[in-house]
Amino acid sequence: LMIFLCCLLITTDNNFFFLPPPPHKPGTHASTMSETASFVDPVFLARFGLTRINCIDYFLHPLNPFRTSAKTSNEVLNMQGINIGTLMAWGTGSRPGPLSLQEGEDEYRLALERLTGEQYELVGLPNEWLGKVEMTPEELKQMSSLFTVRHVHRTSPRQVKVLGIYYILEGVIYKSPSVRGLMKAHVTRTLEGLAEACDALSVCARYDPSTGYSWKFDPDDEDDDDETYHYAREKKRKRRRILDNRRPGERTAEEEEGIRASEAIDRILSRLSKSDVVVKGKPIK
């Protein structure tokens, strides 16, 4: 009896009394994925390659962390044998095959519009490629290197809510960055460029107390070899220098007489400050 109860609890996935699981919120699992995460399956790419015909099947890979855990309309169509490849080969009742790639994608899109729930849509071809029957190898390579997949929740043929946008670049699936993430990356790169510019200019700045700031943009030339720089600096210095051809510390006769007179005045003032007339206020006899 105990073994039977344990098996019963395991098969009910920890839902006691056979309670139904909580309802699934559209896009809950994929929205928690980081914008820097990615997914690639080399086995699938080596065996089938990657084109617009099978890129939806590649995105619905069981190990892809970006796909939703809910059952999508794409999986319902796959169980019915409907995908872009079969539509191109056999067509539909109203449009027999074979169909072109654009016509096959249009029929697949109409089949998704008849269903409701979560879906993955392949963004259409660029306008310059629409209606082209023959393409150059470069255009085929470019068309098979980048795919954009849109995750939507459809409630009617004309009412959809976008849950996420993903792109497949060279076989690697990424989550499309948000506007906030793009702005943050652009601002970060701009600030890094400004910081590098300030660091580069700080090396070129020169400062002299007598002349102020100046700029030296050529890192190969030294300041001693720059005659123009030294000429301008010395010219400014000469404006503030008194040119009288005297040795340091040497005084003229006038300066010596002025110094002796100042010392005599200092001695007289010192004697007056010590006399009784000034200190005690006695009258002069």
Side-chain angles (χ1 to χ4, degrees), residues 48-106:
F48 303 105
L50 189 62
T51 61
R52 295 186 65 86
I53 298 176
N54 63 350
C55 65
I56 292 295
D57 297 332
Y58 180 66
F59 192 89
L60 293 175
H61 194 286
L63 299 179
N64 181 16
F66 296 108
R67 60 165 295 176
T68 179
S69 57
K71 191 172 184 178
T72 62
S73 302
N74 306 85
E75 295 172 308
V76 175
L77 294 179
N78 284 339
M79 289 188 294
Q80 299 175 5
I82 300 175
N83 54 50
I84 298 177
T86 57
L87 291 173
M88 290 177 59
W90 304 103
T92 61
S94 59
R95 183 184 290 182
L99 304 177
S100 63
L101 177 60
Q102 179 182 348
E103 294 173 343
E105 291 183 10
D106 292 339

Side-chain angles (χ1 to χ4, degrees), residues 72-226:
T72 62
S73 302
N74 306 85
E75 295 172 308
V76 175
L77 294 179
N78 284 339
M79 289 188 294
Q80 299 175 5
I82 300 175
N83 54 50
I84 298 177
T86 57
L87 291 173
M88 290 177 59
W90 304 103
T92 61
S94 59
R95 183 184 290 182
L99 304 177
S100 63
L101 177 60
Q102 179 182 348
E103 294 173 343
E105 291 183 10
D106 292 339
E107 292 296 332
Y108 188 75
R109 192 175 299 108
L110 292 175
L112 288 176
E113 290 180 357
R114 289 190 286 266
L115 301 176
T116 58
E118 295 189 41
Q119 303 175 357
Y120 289 105
E121 298 179 345
L122 180 62
V123 177
L125 290 169
N127 295 330
E128 59 269 17
W129 289 342
L130 293 178
K132 276 195 174 184
V133 180
E134 296 182 0
M135 296 185 180
T136 62
E138 290 77 10
E139 291 176 341
L140 290 174
K141 183 179 180 180
Q142 184 179 1
M143 193 174 70
S144 61
S145 61
L146 177 62
F147 309 97
T148 306
V149 179
R150 190 172 66 161
H151 182 201
V152 300
H153 184 264
R154 185 180 298 275
T155 56
S156 68
R158 299 302 177 187
Q159 292 183 355
V160 293
K161 178 183 179 182
V162 179
L163 302 178
I165 298 177
Y166 308 89
Y167 62 94
I168 308 174
L169 180 61
E170 298 293 344
V172 184
I173 302 176
Y174 302 94
K175 181 180 179 181
S176 180
S178 60
V179 178
R180 179 179 179 275
L182 290 175
M183 292 298 297
K184 183 178 179 181
H186 290 324
V187 171
T188 302
R189 283 195 293 266
T190 302
L191 293 178
E192 289 178 355
L194 291 176
E196 293 176 359
C198 292
D199 293 340
L201 289 176
S202 63
V203 181
C204 303
R206 300 289 188 273
Y207 177 76
D208 189 88
S210 60
T211 61
Y213 283 98
S214 61
W215 295 100
K216 178 73 174 178
F217 293 105
D218 192 357
D220 298 331
D221 297 340
E222 297 293 336
D223 290 344
D224 296 338
D225 299 332
D226 194 349

